[in-house]
Amino acid sequence: MSQSYTVTAVTVVVLATVLVGGFGLRISRTTSDFYVASRSVGPGLNAAAISGEYLSAASFLGVAGLVLLHGPDMLWYPVGYTAGYLVLLVFVAAPLRRSGAYTLPDFAEGRLESRAVRRLVSVFVVGAGWLYLVPQLQGAGLTLRILTGAPDWFGGVLVALVVVVAVAAGGMRSITFVQAFQYWLKLTALLVPALFLLLAWQGDGRPRVDLGLTGAVADRADHPLYATYGLIVATFLGTMGLPHVVVRFYTSPNGRAARRTTVFVLALIGAFYLLPPVYGALGRLYVAELPHGANADAAVLLLPERAIGGLGGALLGALVAGGAFAAFLSTASGLTMAVAGVLTQDVLPSRGVRHFRLATPLAMAVPLGGSLLVSGMPVADSVGMAFAVSASSFCPLLVLGIWWRRLTPPGAIAGLLLGGGLAFAATVITVSGTVRSGWPHALLAWPAVWSVPVGFLAMILVSLATRGRIPPGTNAAMTRFHLPEALMPGARGGPGGAGGPTGTSGPTGSSGADSAGGTSGTGGVR
Amino acid sequence: MTGESRQPAPRREVVTGEPRRVRPLPRYRAQAEIEEQTALGDAYVRSLMRSQLRAGLSAFAVLALVAGTLPLAFAALRDTTAVWVVLGFAAYPLLTLLAWWYVRRAERNERDFARLVKGRPAP
């Protein structure tokens, strides 16, 4: 039966994840390895790891499901996920790496020298991370229910357990290997069945695929054009603030490598996104009788068996299921890593690897509870809301923090609260289902169009009104963000003073550049 | 400087040479200006930021222009095949090319800046 193949495939993926993680653990020796893989991951490996982490349940299942149901306009989702990396590259990638911080709260404190901003950013990071974790766990539950008939909660609990063990045990170094491995696994798991599906389609005499909009489309949104723009703004600007994406940049050795890595990432995720539309289009042909609603996410999983059938279909279906599990595991581990990092630094009392390991189950417990309570939303849509919150809060903070010298702590707080807070409130209202139609629903379901400008404006206007509060270290921070590493005064010639005669430092001491580099690394790797 | 164990009492000495440093001195004058955050050093950093921001804004403007007009164009054309071709295939190589162009320009900006800084060696 096909169920046993699926169970085997999922088991293999889970075991491989744990084993590759264990391999990483063996070479993960220092605290620095644990948190940021010693900042020494080369562009190739790091790009595969970033892509593996980024391609979530929404990409693997959600995109094809939405295209199947609502037509080609839904292809803006994968385009937006990819273009978000381009915006991240041109405004944020290299300066963020050079800031030397490890998490968004580190960045906020290093740039604005304010504990209050740090605490607020921590709250948003944990919130956005949890918002993004819920659909991953729900996707896992859906996959196992469709393919094996397991109860809905089982898949989510399984993913949560594996992630907690892998993250708490191995940290960043081993996760890097796991995620690089999972990118290639996901690509294979969609590519190989897609080739067979196209062959089967050819064999059936190339029946005409209905590429246009069918009857089911109308109820997606009352104002489809506005919804499309809302989607574009949220995904283009929201990617840079996603907690698991930001942490990854600190594993590059320097700003230049961070930039080059991002170009690799764009190529890798672009290659992956060529595949889901194939499933969406063929799904219209072969899985047309799929029940509408949340189960559209199952189209990718069901397609091989429906279109090919027999043993081949069952095996290919199992391969797809394995790839889907890789998607849940990799994104969930990245998010858990980021959320647990923030919890360790800003919530739990003491610092260190041991407390990080304690924070990991905590980081996973809340979204697991949420995934069991809330249900019935397509994964791509709920992920879209995390993007909207991120675009309205972290995007203004990062862009203005990196490029604008007049940003003040009160301005940052106002922007975070107004932009991010309003986007979050809109999300809550939409999920609660109190507003269901017309312009109010469209404005609340796709809030980024108005909440991003609100966030930027609040940050700029309040900063201009509080000119006296510009942090004294602003110029030093700007220098650190933008100067190439080779020209940084403190950075040449390796670690200062390690081999030199330590007792003889000259009168014009070395404190200046070193302390400038140290302010931002408060919670990082020391 | 730590006195050797054979010598019984360390003598007080006047050091007349250059003090030895933990880190080497900035090699170029501009680098020192930047490190000490003088007005000139600040101007150097601002010029680098301006050129990098211009590169980023150029790439972003291309992206925003295309992404901003495409939905309107699709709505006007009502041709779903075009949507499939553009969003399903053509978008990804174009995004990667734009990223590659930006990285080349940003690295060229940094090389030019390094040349500017190294142009006048410290005396």
Side-chain angles (χ1 to χ4, degrees):
Chain A
M1 241 344 260
S2 69
Q3 286 177 13
S4 58
Y5 295 128
T6 306
V7 172
T8 313
V10 170
T11 312
V12 166
V13 168
V14 167
L15 279 183
T17 301
V18 173
L19 284 179
V20 178
F23 166 71
L25 181 59
R26 278 184 46 202
I27 58 172
S28 178
R29 297 225 167 80
T30 64
T31 311
S32 171
D33 271 347
F34 192 86
Y35 281 124
V36 289
S38 292
R39 304 178 193 269
S40 59
V41 185
L45 180 65
N46 209 19
I50 293 177
S51 313
E53 182 170 41
Y54 190 55
L55 297 171
S56 67
S59 306
F60 201 91
L61 302 179
V63 169
L66 284 176
V67 168
L68 169 76
L69 268 193
H70 302 295
D73 273 350
M74 293 298 104
L75 291 173
W76 277 109
Y77 267 110
V79 170
Y81 295 151
T82 316
Y85 259 100
L86 182 61
V87 180
L88 171 76
L89 166 70
V90 303
F91 289 131
V92 174
L96 186 64
R97 171 61 193 89
R98 286 171 182 154
S99 76
Y102 166 57
T103 60
L104 272 173
D106 279 349
F107 170 83
E109 191 183 12
R111 168 69 177 82
L112 291 167
E113 301 164 39
S114 153
R115 296 288 300 174
V117 176
R118 181 192 181 99
R119 249 173 260 125
L120 188 62
V121 171
S122 302
V123 171
F124 271 97
V125 167
V126 172
W130 280 344
L131 213 55
Y132 208 109
L133 268 168
V134 171
Q136 312 303 323
L137 300 174
Q138 284 178 337
L142 173 87
T143 304
L144 282 195
R145 177 164 59 78
I146 298 262
L147 292 176
T148 68
D152 242 345
W153 55 267
F154 181 74
V157 172
L158 178 66
V159 166
L161 279 179
V162 174
V163 165
V164 165
V165 168
V167 170
M172 198 55 134
R173 189 85 186 216
S174 70
I175 288 295
T176 300
F177 285 106
V178 171
Q179 282 165 343
F181 156 74
Q182 279 168 343
Y183 170 77
W184 295 108
L185 179 64
K186 276 182 262 192
L187 190 67
T188 313
L190 275 197
L191 180 63
V192 173
L195 295 178
F196 279 99
L197 286 171
L198 286 174
L199 282 179
W201 176 65
Q202 195 97 18
D204 288 350
R206 308 178 65 166
R208 195 174 148 62
V209 178
D210 175 24
L211 292 177
L213 309 169
T214 46
V217 184
D219 61 359
R220 157 114 181 131
D222 292 339
H223 304 277
L225 199 60
Y226 171 81
T228 302
Y229 279 112
L231 184 64
I232 289 174
V233 174
T235 50
F236 279 36
L237 302 180
T239 304
M240 68 174 71
L242 293 178
H244 59 307
V245 170
V246 174
V247 169
R248 272 264 149 233
F249 273 86
Y250 303 122
T251 55
S252 288
N254 55 48
R256 216 176 94 119
R259 257 193 227 119
R260 297 191 160 194
T261 302
T262 313
V263 180
F264 276 106
V265 170
L266 276 163
L268 289 178
I269 56 182
F272 177 88
Y273 280 136
L274 296 177
L275 297 171
V278 175
Y279 284 78
L282 291 179
R284 294 191 146 214
L285 202 63
Y286 292 105
V287 215
E289 75 281 21
L290 204 71
H292 289 170
N295 278 355
D297 293 328
V300 171
L301 301 166
L302 294 174
L303 193 53
E305 231 178 323
R306 299 256 175 114
I308 298 169
L311 180 65
L315 284 175
L316 291 173
L319 181 59
V320 173
F325 248 77
F328 311 137
L329 285 176
S330 57
T331 304
S333 24
L335 286 164
T336 310
M337 187 87 207
V339 172
V342 170
L343 287 178
T344 315
Q345 284 177 32
D346 295 315
V347 180
L348 298 179
S350 160
R351 290 173 181 173
V353 170
R354 211 164 57 86
H355 280 80
F356 181 88
R357 289 180 171 153
L358 289 179
T360 311
L362 193 65
M364 187 49 107
V366 174
L368 183 61
S371 74
L372 300 179
L373 290 175
V374 185
S375 62
M377 206 176 201
V379 287
D381 272 348
S382 41
V383 161
M385 299 194 159
F387 272 93
V389 172
S390 163
S392 324
S393 53
F394 299 134
C395 171
L397 179 72
L398 282 168
V399 170
L400 294 177
I402 287 171
W403 297 103
W404 196 50
R405 288 167 192 261
R406 289 191 228 164
L407 185 66
T408 64
I413 289 174
L416 285 170
L417 283 180
L418 272 176
L422 286 175
F424 186 75
T427 304
V428 171
I429 296 174
T430 309
V431 173
S432 74
T434 41
V435 183
R436 290 186 181 280
S437 61
W439 270 112
H441 174 260
L443 287 171
L444 289 173
W446 289 275
V449 173
W450 51 269
S451 63
V452 172
V454 164
F456 269 101
L457 271 180
M459 231 175 248
I460 291 171
L461 292 179
V462 175
S463 289
L464 289 178
T466 54
R467 282 163 201 267
R469 301 282 308 276
I470 294 176
T474 297
N475 283 344
M478 288 297 175
T479 306
R480 200 166 65 241
F481 291 172
H482 295 282
L483 213 60
E485 281 83 358
L487 295 175
M488 261 325 259
R492 272 179 304 112
T502 46
T504 61
S505 60
T508 59
S510 56
S511 56
D514 282 349
S515 66
T519 48
S520 67
T522 44
V525 193
R526 297 247 141 188
Chain B
M1 292 280 161
T2 51
E4 286 193 27
S5 54
R6 287 203 197 142
Q7 291 182 339
R11 271 184 357 198
R12 195 171 282 263
E13 283 183 4
V14 179
V15 178
T16 51
E18 285 272 327
R20 293 170 70 189
R21 285 167 185 281
V22 176
R23 288 175 304 106
L25 267 171
R27 235 181 311 170
Y28 306 99
R29 182 188 289 156
Q31 217 174 347
E33 303 270 2
I34 290 169
E35 182 177 12
E36 284 150 25
Q37 292 182 32
T38 61
L40 181 59
D42 196 41
Y44 273 115
V45 175
R46 279 173 197 269
S47 82
L48 173 67
M49 277 178 69
R50 255 197 312 278
S51 65
Q52 294 293 46
L53 186 61
R54 213 176 296 129
L57 284 177
S58 312
F60 183 72
V62 172
L63 179 72
L65 200 70
V66 174
T69 49
L70 265 185
L72 291 174
F74 289 152
L77 279 176
R78 309 195 66 79
D79 177 9
T80 45
T81 319
V83 184
W84 279 96
V85 170
V86 172
L87 297 185
F89 301 98
Y92 302 107
L94 291 179
L95 284 171
T96 311
L97 275 179
L98 193 56
W100 186 62
W101 172 84
Y102 166 78
V103 168
R104 278 187 30 155
R105 185 160 162 189
E107 288 187 355
R108 194 175 64 224
N109 283 344
E110 284 179 357
R111 272 198 306 277
D112 290 350
F113 182 74
R115 208 173 298 136
L116 183 74
V117 166
K118 290 173 182 171
R120 297 183 302 161

